[in-house]
Amino acid sequence: MTSITIQPKKLKGTIAVPTSKSLAHREIIAASLAPGQSIISNVSMSDDITATIEGMKALGALIKEEDGKLYITGALTNGLSNASIDCHESGSTLRFLIPISLIHDNYVHFTGQGKLGSRPLDVYYKIFDSQKIVYLYRENALDLYLMGYLKPGRFEVPGNVSSQFITGLLFALPRLEGDSDIVLTSPLESSGYIDLTLDVLKEYGIQIEQTEDGYHVPGNQVYQAQKSSVEGDFSQAAFYLVADILGNDITITNLNMDTHQGDKAIVEILERMGAKLIQTEEGYKMTADKLVATDVDASNCPDIIPVLSLAMALAEGTSHITNAGRLRIKECDRLHAICEELKAMNVDVTEYEDAITIVGRKDLTGVRLSSYNDHRMAMMGAIAATVTKEPVSIDNRECVSKSYPEFFNDYVKLGGEVE
Ligand SMILES: O=C(O)C1=C[C@@H](OP(=O)(O)O)[C@@H](O)[C@H](O)C1
Ligand SMILES: C=C(OP(=O)(O)O)C(=O)O
């Protein structure tokens, strides 16, 4: 684990952000479930995406990478087989692949690292109990054995723990031999991610009907192989757009402003804070003469909150982030980590159970920060170093490889000074 020290320096230049991790997971899974060959272009590799590729291979898909494209032949085996899947630290891989691994009678072993073993899975355990699927796990370590298969029927799922459970079920249920209903027992959060799932399912020929309280999923459906391409990631773009409004000058070359990615909300939130979106020949950037505080409901855009909190720390007035409880069950307790990082940089911040209040100030103090082994916290620290007077140190720089292995190389290409 390597620590880095970043000298306070502004960034300038053009950058293509990694392509959407959320869309890449979904494309790889849908293609792996489709008989025939699919070709997916523009997949940015990261530890999480590697975990999904290896997981789908373990479940029978043939996947090879050539000339920057993924060639995927869906080949899920029928009948009892067994598979071992290492999810690394990817919540998406784990929660998407669990129901998929149970489309057929199977014996599967899921492992993972970091905090993944303590992120919630009870929603699935309840389903296993009611469907007599055998499961064995160790507390706080991801070491989960599953034996059995999913039966079509009624699946009651809370909407406010993680949308990833619903996505996992939406992928698996169309392949069962009967119709199913997913019934949401509490309001849906992270709904933009379900929209992405529904988009990809539709692209692969799968029909899902939205109901008053969830989704009706006809069974016996067949995924149709596709040729597809993945667009730029707004969760990653958020780091550079916030950097822009803090006085850097970075143009992003690969953003689709018509995207359905929920994290595009970053643009509208920063505009509310006084920023302007500028389209140039090369792409998009943002500028701001002055930043004002704002209030943000985090329930539909949890991943942009770390870097957004930095913009709030430098805005005039007091900002409130609400409905942010689920940030505590990400790669680290992000709600607490954000507050600790901002406090370390001299910001007046108050942590509540599911909210944060940030009193804006004119500057930030450069200090030693912890990454909390969380890619988004490490990248937030690096953007902070573009506005401090003193250097910022961050431990465990490698953690960015979860979503953006090239982050510090790109940072240096943009003029950053990293030791
Ligand atoms: O479906 C997805 O691709 C994701 C859903 C979100 O999780 P929750 O639904 O658990 O909030 C998000 O935080 C995660 O990074 C990716
Ligand atoms: C929370 C994240 O991903 P996952 O839930 O897939 O681990 C993330 O990328 O910030």
Side-chain angles (χ1 to χ4, degrees), residues 312-319 346-350 357-361:
M312 291 171 161
L314 289 161
E316 194 182 293
T318 301
S319 296
N346 263 331
V347 181
D348 178 0
V349 48
T350 312
T357 296
I358 299 171
V359 183
R361 48 178 288 134

Side-chain angles (χ1 to χ4, degrees), residues 21-23 25-26 92 95-96 119 161-165 167 189-190 193-194 196-197 235 263 299 301-303 326 329-331 334 375-376 402:
K21 175 161 79 80
S22 292
L23 281 169
H25 280 302
R26 288 161 170 78
S92 300
R95 296 185 181 130
F96 298 167
R119 294 176 66 184
V161 180
S162 168
S163 69
Q164 293 171 347
F165 297 113
T167 288
E189 293 182 7
S190 282
Y193 289 101
I194 300 298
L196 292 186
T197 305
S235 323
D263 282 353
S299 53
C301 53
D303 293 355
R326 72 170 50 197
I329 51 172
K330 301 291 180 187
E331 286 79 336
R334 273 188 195 155
H375 53 143
R376 299 201 196 274
K402 186 174 189 290

Side-chain angles (χ1 to χ4, degrees), residues 93-349:
T93 307
L94 176 66
R95 296 185 181 130
F96 298 167
L97 266 55
I98 284 179
I100 292 166
S101 72
L102 300 171
I103 290 174
H104 304 292
D105 202 354
N106 212 346
Y107 176 61
V108 208
H109 182 201
F110 282 95
T111 54
Q113 290 98 46
K115 210 182 144 230
L116 191 56
S118 51
R119 294 176 66 184
L121 279 180
D122 307 30
V123 172
Y124 283 152
Y125 296 155
K126 279 198 185 127
I127 293 173
F128 300 159
D129 286 335
S130 69
Q131 294 221 350
K132 308 263 179 304
I133 292 169
V134 178
Y135 62 104
L136 276 175
Y137 64 93
R138 274 195 294 145
E139 287 292 346
N140 294 327
L142 187 58
D143 187 14
L144 169 69
Y145 290 87
L146 301 178
M147 210 164 67
Y149 59 96
L150 281 172
K151 280 69 113 185
R154 180 183 162 92
F155 294 82
E156 292 194 359
V157 181
N160 62 345
V161 180
S162 168
S163 69
Q164 293 171 347
F165 297 113
I166 300 154
T167 288
L169 289 168
L170 285 169
F171 275 122
L173 299 182
R175 293 294 301 124
L176 304 188
E177 288 174 1
D179 294 5
S180 298
D181 284 291
I182 299 173
V183 178
L184 300 178
T185 55
S186 56
L188 180 61
E189 293 182 7
S190 282
S191 62
Y193 289 101
I194 300 298
D195 294 342
L196 292 186
T197 305
L198 296 174
D199 282 353
V200 173
L201 285 170
K202 193 168 168 201
E203 183 191 0
Y204 282 76
I206 298 293
Q207 286 174 18
I208 308 282
E209 293 154 31
Q210 206 137 355
T211 58
E212 215 167 80
D213 52 2
Y215 307 91
H216 177 70
V217 187
N220 292 305
Q221 297 193 61
V222 180
Y223 283 76
Q224 310 292 327
Q226 297 299 318
K227 281 199 177 71
S228 202
S229 174
V230 185
E231 64 189 28
D233 192 326
F234 270 88
S235 323
Q236 303 293 5
F239 290 96
Y240 295 121
L241 295 176
V242 168
D244 273 346
I245 65 157
L246 298 182
N248 297 277
D249 183 4
I250 304 161
T251 301
I252 306 171
T253 57
N254 61 336
L255 291 182
N256 168 19
M257 285 294 161
D258 295 324
T259 185
H260 287 172
Q261 293 175 58
D263 282 353
K264 189 195 158 199
I266 188 70
V267 173
E268 181 262 323
I269 296 167
L270 296 182
E271 280 174 344
R272 235 164 47 211
M273 295 179 77
K276 273 199 202 78
L277 179 71
I278 297 175
Q279 185 174 14
T280 69
E281 268 177 23
E282 289 166 311
Y284 290 96
K285 63 180 180 179
M286 293 192 88
T287 57
D289 296 333
K290 185 180 156 199
L291 286 179
V292 289
T294 192
D295 293 345
V296 168
D297 180 329
S299 53
N300 283 323
C301 53
D303 293 355
I304 58 174
I305 299 300
V307 74
L308 185 60
S309 70
L310 209 56
M312 291 171 161
L314 289 161
E316 194 182 293
T318 301
S319 296
H320 305 275
I321 298 169
T322 53
N323 290 324
R326 72 170 50 197
L327 267 78
R328 294 195 187 278
I329 51 172
K330 301 291 180 187
E331 286 79 336
C332 71
D333 177 344
R334 273 188 195 155
L335 203 78
H336 184 64
I338 289 169
C339 294
E340 290 301 299
E341 301 293 59
L342 293 182
K343 272 186 212 157
M345 291 188 279
N346 263 331
V347 181
D348 178 0
V349 48

Side-chain angles (χ1 to χ4, degrees), residues 4-21:
I4 45 167
T5 301
I6 307 176
Q7 296 303 325
K9 222 177 148 190
K10 291 281 182 268
L11 305 179
K12 186 173 168 61
T14 57
I15 188 96
V17 289
T19 56
S20 165
K21 175 161 79 80

